[in-house]
């Protein structure tokens, strides 16, 4: 068996689910894209890069409503995110995992708990219950939290701020604290990294940690040396910043299958 084949077999079957979390402007989209490209080349598996809200055609409409539409009360906001996530998982994420793909998502369930329970100060248990019901308890195998002071993260955003980004310093302080508390409570799933480091250094550390979680032990050291220099996109978590069609498989490796089922990325 070739070394490449051994690496593919080391990845858990049928699929593997990775989520990126953190405040807006921390660089999630950039790091998710770089990791997806690397994992596709490394394992030969299909990689599906997606996001929440907005990972499906319906999701794009819900994203526009919740981020750029009229003001709404916190419970309405929480339920819109849950609806987006339910459809996203049923039509895109779960089918991709069942066919053996690696799914990398920019935000997932933890964002709802951090933003709606932490930032909006709704009940954390209620938001968790609604969110887990929506996805039938599907949780990521590993969650990468890019941690950064909210003021520093906001300064990186080069576009007009959306409705949540304008929520104020205290809102974003509570959200950051909620993310860190969730990570501390479940260290087996979470990897917490300092997002003040350079794009290349941060990606190298992500690759080392994910390779270890995937039990790709022969390539843990190699991961540190394979980060190609990428232009700085300003850490802007928008479509244009990461250059992908939401829900589109990256098409890397022999197992790639083109656009993911249900495709049209809280």
């Amino acid at each position: 068996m070739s070394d490449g084949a051994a690496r593919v077999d080391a990845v858990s079957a049928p699929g593997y689910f990775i989520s990126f979390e953190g405040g807006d402007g921390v660089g999630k989209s950039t790091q998710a894209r770089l990791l997806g490209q690397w994992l596709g080349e490394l394992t030969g598996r299909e990689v599906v890069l997606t996001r929440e809200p907005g990972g499906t055609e319906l999701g794009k409409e819900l994203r526009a409503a919740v981020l750029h539409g009229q003001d709404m009360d916190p419970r309405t906001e929480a339920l819109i995110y849950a609806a987006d996530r339910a459809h996203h998982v049923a039509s895109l994420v779960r089918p991709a995992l069942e066919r053996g793909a690696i799914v990398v998502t920019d935000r997932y369930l933890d964002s709802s708990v951090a933003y709606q329970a932490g930032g909006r100060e709704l009940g954390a248990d209620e938001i968790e219950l609604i969110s887990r019901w929506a996805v039938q308890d599907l949780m990521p195998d590993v969650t990468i939290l890019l941690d950064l002071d909210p003021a520093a993260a906001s300064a990186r955003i080069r576009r007009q701020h959306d409705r949540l980004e304008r929520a104020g310093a205290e809102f974003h302080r509570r959200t950051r604290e909620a993310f860190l508390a969730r990570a501390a409570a479940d260290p087996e799933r979470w990897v917490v990294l300092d997002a003040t480091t350079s794009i290349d250094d941060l990606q190298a550390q992500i690759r080392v940690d994910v390779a270890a979680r995937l039990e790709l032990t022969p390539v843990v050291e190699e991961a540190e040396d394979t980060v190609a220099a990428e232009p700085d996109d300003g850490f802007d978590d928008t479509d244009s910043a990461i250059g992908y069609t939401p829900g589109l498989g990256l098409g890397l490796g022999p197992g790639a299958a083109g656009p993911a089922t249900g495709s049209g990325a809280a």
Side-chain angles (χ1 to χ4, degrees), residues 134-151:
V135 302
Q136 297 178 291
D137 285 324
L138 177 66
M139 296 297 288
D141 296 289
V142 59
T143 296
I144 300 162
L145 174 59
L146 303 185
D147 181 52
L148 184 64
D149 178 80

Side-chain angles (χ1 to χ4, degrees), residues 240-266:
S240 60
I242 52 180
Y244 70 87
T245 300
L248 182 65
L250 289 177
L252 299 172
T261 304
S263 164

Side-chain angles (χ1 to χ4, degrees), residues 7-17 45 100-102 141 213-214:
R7 293 175 184 177
V8 172
D9 290 343
V11 181
S12 62
Y16 200 81
F17 189 18
R45 289 201 180 198
I102 298 172
D141 296 289
R213 297 297 181 99
L214 288 170

Side-chain angles (χ1 to χ4, degrees), residues 209-232:
D209 288 325
V210 170
R213 297 297 181 99
L214 288 170
E215 299 183 355
L216 298 174
T217 49
V219 298
V220 170
E221 292 184 2
E222 174 186 330
E224 297 177 310
D225 303 318
T226 57
V227 182
E230 295 284 339
D232 184 356

Side-chain angles (χ1 to χ4, degrees), residues 32-257:
R33 172 173 52 82
L34 292 172
L35 180 66
Q37 291 171 345
W38 179 71
L39 285 172
E41 294 164 359
L42 182 69
T43 67
R45 289 201 180 198
E46 175 194 5
V47 174
V48 176
L49 181 65
T50 187
R51 69 174 183 180
E52 290 190 356
T56 63
E57 288 297 327
L58 174 61
K60 287 189 287 186
E61 296 180 17
L62 295 175
R63 179 184 181 88
V66 77
L67 294 181
H68 306 291
Q70 65 185 28
D71 288 339
M72 61 186 69
D73 71 278
R75 290 177 182 272
T76 300
E77 182 181 90
L79 290 170
I80 290 176
Y81 280 122
D84 168 76
R85 185 165 298 116
H87 180 65
H88 184 220
V89 166
S91 64
L92 193 154
V93 175
R94 198 181 298 277
L97 293 172
E98 288 175 350
R99 65 176 181 264
I102 298 172
V103 176
V104 182
T105 184
D106 178 350
R107 297 201 183 283
Y108 191 59
L109 181 155
D110 298 291
S111 277
S112 280
V113 181
Y115 277 85
Q116 276 69 59
R120 298 297 191 205
E121 300 184 284
L122 297 177
D125 291 343
E126 292 177 338
I127 299 300
E128 180 104 28
L129 180 64
I130 292 169
S131 298
R132 283 184 172 265
W133 179 81
V135 302
Q136 297 178 291
D137 285 324
L138 177 66
M139 296 297 288
D141 296 289
V142 59
T143 296
I144 300 162
L145 174 59
L146 303 185
D147 181 52
L148 184 64
D149 178 80
S154 180
R156 291 177 168 184
I157 300 173
R158 298 176 178 175
R159 52 172 168 73
Q160 183 177 1
H161 288 200
D162 63 38
R163 198 173 61 83
L164 285 186
E165 292 162 353
R166 297 191 302 269
E170 282 302 303
F171 171 89
H172 291 289
R173 180 192 60 78
R174 291 192 300 269
T175 299
R176 182 191 188 191
E177 290 178 352
F179 274 128
L180 290 170
R182 287 182 70 77
D186 189 6
E188 291 188 3
R189 174 165 69 93
W190 289 78
V191 174
V192 182
L193 297 174
D194 180 0
T196 63
T197 58
S198 71
I199 292 175
D200 288 359
D201 289 345
L202 186 54
Q203 179 63 199
Q205 186 58 56
I206 290 169
R207 291 179 182 184
V208 169
D209 288 325
V210 170
R213 297 297 181 99
L214 288 170
E215 299 183 355
L216 298 174
T217 49
V219 298
V220 170
E221 292 184 2
E222 174 186 330
E224 297 177 310
D225 303 318
T226 57
V227 182
E230 295 284 339
D232 184 356
D233 67 3
F235 298 90
D236 184 351
D237 292 341
T238 63
D239 293 351
S240 60
I242 52 180
Y244 70 87
T245 300
L248 182 65
L250 289 177
L252 299 172

